[in-house]
Amino acid sequence: MNFANVTLGQYIPTGSFIHRLDPRAKFFSLMFIVTALFPAHNVLELGIWIVILFALVRASKISWPSLLRSAKPVMFLVIFTFAFNIISMSFTNSFYNALSHALFMSSRLFILMLFAIMLPLTTAALELADGLDALLHPLERFKFPVHECSMMIAMALRFIPLLMQETDKIIRAQLSRGARLDQGNIFKRAMAFIPVLIPLFVIIFRRADEIAVAMEARGYNGGEGRTRRKPLAWKFKDTCAVVLSAIISGVLVFII
Amino acid sequence: MLKKKNRNRNDTPLIDVQSVSFSYDAKHTGRALNRVSFFVTRGERIAILGHNGSGKSTLVKILGGLQSPTEGKCLIKGNDIQTMNFRELRGTIGMVFQDPENQIVAAMVEDDVAFAPENQGLPSNEIQERVASSIERVNMTHKRDSAVYALSGGEKQRVALAGALAAKVECLILDEATAMLDPKGRIDVENALRELHSEGMTIIQVTHQIEADNFDDIQRVIVLSHGQIIWEGSTSEFWNNAEGLGFKIPDELKAHKYFAEHNINFPDDLAYIKPKTLTHFHRDNTTEKFRIENLSFMYDEMNSYVLRNINAKIYGGEWLSVIGRTGSGKSTLIQHLNALYKVQEGKIYFDGTEIPQKGEEVHSLRQKVGLVFQHPEDQLFSPTVRDELAFAPKNAGFKNHELNDAILYGLECVSLPRDFLKRNPIALSGGERRLVAIASVLSAKPDCIVLDEPLAGLDASYQKKLLFMLSKLRNEGKTVITISHDLNMALNFSDRILMLGDGTVIQEGTPHEVLEGIMNTLEPEAWPDVLRLSSEIRKVNKNFPLLYNYEDFISLIS
């Protein structure tokens, strides 16, 4: 049990071509990829996506171990998909069919998640927020707090590793006091986590409060009148990236 | 009247606090601040000193316009802070807080420093300019493209400083800004502050102790106690009164005062002094509590060792201090002692038998070896102090009157009165919470207690209490192990010292035996004052011994 190293989509600066793309371009491309990958139904299609993923990871200069580590927290979904499919299919099909189907479904989900995780890995949290802000801007007409929401997401991403470290530290401290976190039935185990959860919430609220004060002290007063050091600038390469992913997705969906 | 003042800009104090009071409850019964008045002129560097709970954090918030006073006024350049334009206020006063993690909003250094000018709505080329110059002013240009998570505490705090400077502020308010840093980080931040002050920046430093390395740069001291200003004066006057006000005087300052009083020209007059031999108190260490043999450790995802081939002994009934820079492996080592980390390579023996790695034996080991983490008050979770103290002994299987005894024992160890048992830990003061947290580990009646930075963030009076408490536990036969950056504590209070560096043992021995190791591995600013002074004398007098204790030092030269 080591929470300190859970990274869940933490930005990895490598300064690659992918990192320098406009966050909106990355959003659009991801949208195309996800819509095309979701209905993928044969092994060939999946194979091509895997090749594309390898190329993308290569271009981003992010190492595979760090990408896989970031994907660790969502692995349970993949495992769940596998287990669910194998059980539900084995009633009506042969075991071999069920197995291959479950393998296909879970690996498709896994590839999809790896693509999705590439977005926060290659985009700094505040940049991501800027991108979201710009994309969701039309919603402001309906009084939707667009800036606040994107800032919230950015801040949450920024503080995930810190909260994981805190969780790890509290667990260690309570284990030192003899806490039995891994014994008994589910109910007992859940109760055993109270000594971890209460301090964690206290810390989260205190940090949130301190961060809010520190942001105000630096003149943050919502999105109004805020400018950017590097304003979002849509360049030719961004158009290329979006068009390229649209073409690839289109070809894979409609032709293969 | 106001107009006239504004015309002559330099006559108006930068900050003018007029009879400010503040209370957190609506009935104004308990006042966090009570009629506080003072002013700060341009280019001044002042320290506002106060113990935990003196109201200094509230004052910081009011000075920064983050909290409105219940009574009185706070003027910035003659304008009431309450009605002042938000942007103008934020462009005048910059703030740096204690925890660097809680002020840095972006993942990259430059993005973070840009946050304030972005909020000011500046064009991007000007933001860029300010970011570059602010980062340079805190000497972080070499790290401008770095990710924040890869920085040390001192570097992060300098980024926070740059983040405040980027708003082109005229005044910096620092709220315990160096309290969480290791000596190296503190020195770097201190040097940056010194430079900023010499360039004309007004600096207000709110803290519970003036550190030895910055006292000559601070011009004026204001002492706050129970929400009121109880003393105000120049820094040199402050040192004459410090002890009466409850603050520690750095040894170096005390020594120089002694030299002045006795007309000693330091260090030349001490070149021919023949030191008397000091008798070193030596404990007979016979019983071995822990024996660590060839212990190596690495984290799953990393390929480098955090601990490499550690060999050490810890004796029963001694106080052992583990010292070393941040990242030297101290925390990882002590978490092996109660099996929080599993032994990967090597062996650890506790009372002669190898420590268990799993199962019920681990629980009984954790009852015998109590571990108190850094800032243990963050781990309290119970509605009453009694429940908090009952947690560990209950887990260890104590029942009925045994449990009751254990709870009272824990409370007694930290010398808190019995009526505390009914109180809610959250409602206690910071120092009291620390004591309760330590008691909640001691209540399991461990043989051995391990503490990570037990004094961090406490004011002088609580530090004294804790040192007394730990000495008492040791004298009662318990084995005490502490990790600390505070070399004064390590040298003056513990029996032996284990010095780590880069995951290996640099030296193990009595305080006197490790002095050379300290000098070889740490920068002089981080040495204890007396060690620095005695090494100065040694340059002119080869026979002079290396010392760490102030009383020993004075008795040698007198």
Side-chain angles (χ1 to χ4, degrees):
Chain A
M1 193 178 335
N2 192 349
F3 282 79
N5 295 323
V6 175
T7 51
L8 195 77
Q10 286 307 304
Y11 181 55
I12 303 175
T14 65
S16 78
F17 165 72
I18 308 283
H19 285 71
R20 292 196 305 269
L21 284 177
D22 190 295
R24 287 169 296 184
K26 286 187 248 186
F27 269 118
F28 284 130
S29 307
L30 181 63
M31 254 159 55
F32 282 122
I33 293 170
V34 169
T35 17
L37 182 56
F38 217 68
H41 56 273
N42 62 45
V43 180
L44 174 67
E45 223 174 304
L46 204 62
I48 294 172
W49 280 119
I50 292 175
V51 172
I52 295 169
L53 180 66
F54 267 88
L56 183 70
V57 173
R58 193 59 177 298
S60 73
K61 294 184 189 160
I62 285 172
S63 72
W64 274 93
S66 41
L67 174 63
L68 293 177
R69 204 181 314 142
S70 289
K72 230 191 216 168
V74 289
M75 270 311 280
F76 85 95
L77 260 179
V78 175
I79 293 165
F80 178 78
T81 310
F82 180 79
F84 181 80
N85 275 289
I86 208 165
I87 292 165
S88 64
M89 287 288 287
S90 57
F91 288 119
T92 51
N93 283 285
S94 68
F95 178 73
Y96 176 76
N97 272 349
L99 181 71
S100 62
H101 180 77
L103 261 176
F104 181 80
M105 296 292 269
S106 51
S107 42
R108 189 177 66 186
L109 184 69
F110 187 53
I111 308 282
L112 195 115
M113 281 172 167
L114 289 182
F115 270 113
I117 265 173
M118 286 300 285
L119 178 67
L121 286 191
T122 58
T123 320
L126 279 182
E127 217 182 316
L128 209 62
D130 284 351
L132 267 177
D133 206 341
L135 283 178
L136 300 178
H137 194 69
L139 288 180
E140 231 156 45
R141 232 180 293 160
F142 308 107
K143 298 257 151 74
F144 184 78
V146 171
H147 172 78
E148 284 73 10
C149 280
S150 36
M151 197 64 178
M152 242 159 59
I153 293 171
M155 285 288 125
L157 270 175
R158 152 86 180 84
F159 284 97
I160 283 174
L162 212 59
L163 292 179
M164 290 298 162
Q165 278 170 26
E166 300 270 18
T167 312
D168 184 64
K169 191 181 147 192
I170 296 169
I171 288 178
R172 286 175 183 283
Q174 307 303 28
L175 282 175
S176 295
R177 291 166 74 188
R180 287 154 201 265
L181 299 177
D182 44 6
Q183 287 171 8
N185 57 34
I186 285 185
F187 182 70
K188 253 191 172 165
R189 283 191 194 197
M191 291 300 281
F193 263 93
I194 286 178
V196 176
L197 291 178
I198 291 178
L200 187 62
F201 275 104
V202 172
I203 287 174
I204 288 175
F205 283 121
R206 191 181 61 209
R207 275 205 192 270
D209 191 47
E210 284 179 19
I211 293 156
V213 167
M215 284 171 77
E216 193 188 334
R218 287 167 74 183
Y220 180 69
N221 198 10
E224 219 168 296
R226 210 174 116 75
T227 49
R228 301 290 189 277
R229 180 171 73 102
K230 284 189 274 181
L232 292 184
W234 191 272
K235 297 200 182 89
F236 181 63
K237 62 179 181 189
D238 299 310
T239 315
C240 291
V242 174
V243 169
L244 186 68
S245 36
I247 291 174
I248 293 174
S249 306
V251 166
L252 281 169
V253 168
F254 296 112
I255 298 176
I256 298 176
Chain B
M1 180 74 184
L2 206 69
K3 263 185 185 166
K4 210 171 157 192
K5 259 190 183 171
N6 279 346
R7 201 175 299 150
N8 200 344
R9 202 167 156 263
N10 288 330
D11 283 358
T12 328
L14 187 63
I15 297 177
D16 190 357
V17 180
Q18 298 179 345
S19 187
V20 160
S21 297
F22 184 85
S23 61
Y24 282 97
D25 56 82
K27 282 177 236 148
H28 303 266
T29 40
R31 282 188 164 182
L33 286 179
N34 197 358
R35 297 178 178 281
V36 168
S37 302
F38 65 94
F39 63 88
V40 182
T41 51
R42 281 190 175 75
E44 231 187 336
R45 180 163 179 191
I46 74 166
I48 297 177
L49 285 184
H51 296 304
N52 301 343
S54 58
K56 53 188 195 311
S57 304
T58 313
L59 183 60
V60 166
K61 285 192 181 154
I62 288 174
L63 288 176
L66 301 163
Q67 184 90 270
S68 330
T70 16
E71 272 169 47
K73 257 198 254 179
C74 180
L75 305 180
I76 308 282
K77 295 197 274 189
N79 306 311
D80 191 336
I81 204 166
Q82 293 304 109
T83 52
M84 201 173 166
N85 174 293
F86 182 76
R87 277 208 180 145
E88 199 189 331
L89 170 64
R90 302 274 71 106
T92 312
I93 307 256
M95 307 182 79
V96 179
F97 300 93
Q98 182 172 1
D99 189 344
E101 297 290 358
N102 291 351
Q103 343 175 27
I104 292 178
V105 294
M108 308 297 288
V109 170
E110 283 191 316
D111 290 341
D112 186 72
V113 176
F115 189 65
E118 285 180 346
N119 290 330
Q120 290 175 321
L122 299 171
S124 88
N125 57 342
E126 196 178 339
I127 295 176
Q128 192 55 52
E129 230 165 76
R130 285 199 187 183
V131 167
S133 73
S134 308
I135 292 179
E136 211 213 302
R137 286 175 84 184
V138 297
N139 308 319
M140 285 288 290
T141 307
H142 58 296
K143 291 274 169 89
R144 54 188 291 180
D145 296 320
S146 298
V148 174
Y149 69 79
L151 303 180
S152 72
E155 288 170 337
K156 281 181 192 162
Q157 203 62 317
R158 278 186 285 153
V159 171
L161 205 55
L165 291 175
K168 276 236 162 99
V169 293
E170 293 169 51
C171 173
L172 279 174
I173 299 176
L174 311 167
D175 186 5
E176 300 279 9
T178 55
M180 284 179 72
L181 306 180
D182 59 5
K184 171 88 173 68
R186 208 182 60 225
I187 291 159
D188 288 342
V189 170
E190 192 45 53
N191 287 339
L193 288 177
R194 211 177 270 267
E195 219 159 283
L196 289 170
H197 181 224
S198 72
E199 290 164 10
M201 178 68 71
T202 313
I203 299 175
I204 302 174
Q205 211 159 353
V206 181
T207 172
H208 61 77
Q209 177 71 41
I210 304 188
E211 296 295 344
D213 33 85
N214 65 19
F215 60 76
D216 53 340
D217 201 43
I218 290 173
Q219 294 150 328
R220 199 152 59 91
V221 178
I222 292 173
V223 179
L224 210 59
S225 174
H226 298 102
Q228 281 177 307
I229 293 180
I230 55 163
W231 194 88
E232 195 177 348
S234 71
T235 312
S236 52
E237 283 169 334
F238 168 73
W239 291 120
N240 294 330
N241 295 286
E243 251 159 8
L245 293 163
F247 295 96
K248 269 191 302 200
I249 303 179
D251 288 340
E252 186 165 3
L253 208 68
K254 269 198 277 185
H256 280 292
K257 206 172 145 197
Y258 182 88
F259 298 150
E261 278 165 10
H262 293 78
N263 284 323
I264 297 172
N265 185 10
F266 175 83
D268 299 337
D269 283 1
L270 299 167
Y272 305 105
I273 193 168
K274 228 189 180 168
K276 294 163 259 180
T277 41
L278 288 171
T279 49
H280 297 308
F281 176 68
H282 215 86
R283 289 174 75 89
D284 294 325
N285 300 311
T286 44
T287 55
E288 221 173 73
K289 203 73 187 167
F290 283 101
R291 192 167 82 238
I292 302 166
E293 283 180 358
N294 304 318
L295 183 72
S296 294
F297 182 82
M298 83 165 84
Y299 289 107
D300 302 338
E301 282 96 357
M302 289 169 225
N303 297 320
S304 65
Y305 280 102
V306 187
L307 297 176
R308 277 177 294 159
N309 226 358
I310 302 269
N311 283 292
K313 280 178 188 166
I314 302 168
Y315 298 102
E318 75 168 348
W319 180 343
L320 177 88
S321 279
V322 185
I323 61 172
R325 286 174 190 278
T326 309
S328 58
K330 305 183 300 270
S331 293
T332 314
L333 175 65
I334 62 154
Q335 289 185 51
H336 274 90
L337 299 182
N338 73 348
L340 278 178
Y341 283 126
K342 308 283 172 243
V343 174
Q344 291 175 349
E345 290 170 44
K347 285 192 166 80
I348 302 177
Y349 297 92
F350 175 67
D351 280 338
T353 51
E354 215 173 309
I355 62 165
Q357 299 297 304
K358 54 183 173 187
E360 203 47 40
E361 290 92 348
V362 169
H363 283 281
S364 79
L365 173 73
R366 286 179 185 159
Q367 183 262 316
K368 286 185 202 129
V369 183
L371 205 160
V372 180
F373 277 79
Q374 217 176 115
H375 298 288
E377 58 276 17
D378 288 349
Q379 284 121 35
L380 302 177
F381 65 94
S382 307
T384 63
V385 171
R386 172 184 285 277
D387 291 348
E388 198 69 61
L389 264 53
F391 184 64
K394 255 191 200 162
N395 287 328
F398 288 54
K399 284 190 182 76
N400 305 326
H401 75 272
E402 254 183 0
L403 179 64
N404 211 34
D405 275 358
I407 293 169
L408 292 178
Y409 170 77
L411 201 67
E412 210 173 274
C413 284
V414 297
S415 316
L416 283 175
R418 285 201 182 186
D419 60 298
F420 262 71
L421 289 177
K422 291 194 291 281
R423 294 177 65 178
N424 184 345
I426 298 285
L428 301 176
S429 77
E432 288 166 345
R433 276 215 301 278
R434 173 80 50 96
L435 291 181
V436 168
I438 294 175
S440 77
V441 173
L442 285 169
S443 60
K445 301 195 171 175
D447 295 343
C448 172
I449 176 126
V450 189
L451 306 100
D452 191 348
E453 293 286 358
L455 304 186
L458 291 182
D459 60 32
S461 71
Y462 272 101
Q463 290 196 356
K464 224 183 215 170
K465 257 184 211 168
L466 255 179
L467 287 170
F468 176 74
M469 180 200 110
L470 293 176
S471 306
K472 201 172 133 217
L473 284 172
R474 189 261 321 265
N475 293 343
E476 285 165 2
K478 297 224 184 290
T479 309
V480 177
I481 301 169
T482 52
I483 291 188
S484 184
H485 284 299
D486 185 344
L487 292 180
N488 271 320
M489 171 184 110
L491 293 167
N492 284 305
F493 287 87
S494 53
D495 302 305
R496 277 181 341 112
I497 289 180
L498 177 66
M499 184 166 190
L500 296 185
D502 285 331
T504 58
V505 175
I506 290 185
Q507 222 168 2
E508 183 188 359
T510 62
H512 274 280
E513 285 163 0
V514 297
L515 289 180
E516 298 234 9
I518 290 173
M519 291 172 66
N520 291 335
T521 39
L522 299 176
E523 47 284 297
E525 291 96 327
W527 300 354
D529 288 359
V530 174
L531 179 61
R532 203 164 44 233
L533 291 169
S534 55
S535 75
E536 284 285 307
I537 298 175
R538 228 163 128 95
K539 280 180 195 157
V540 293
N541 180 352
K542 268 191 221 141
N543 297 325
F544 202 83
L546 290 173
L547 296 170
Y548 54 85
N549 182 283
Y550 180 74
E551 278 75 32
D552 286 353
F553 179 73
I554 294 297
S555 81
L556 267 190
I557 61 171
S558 60

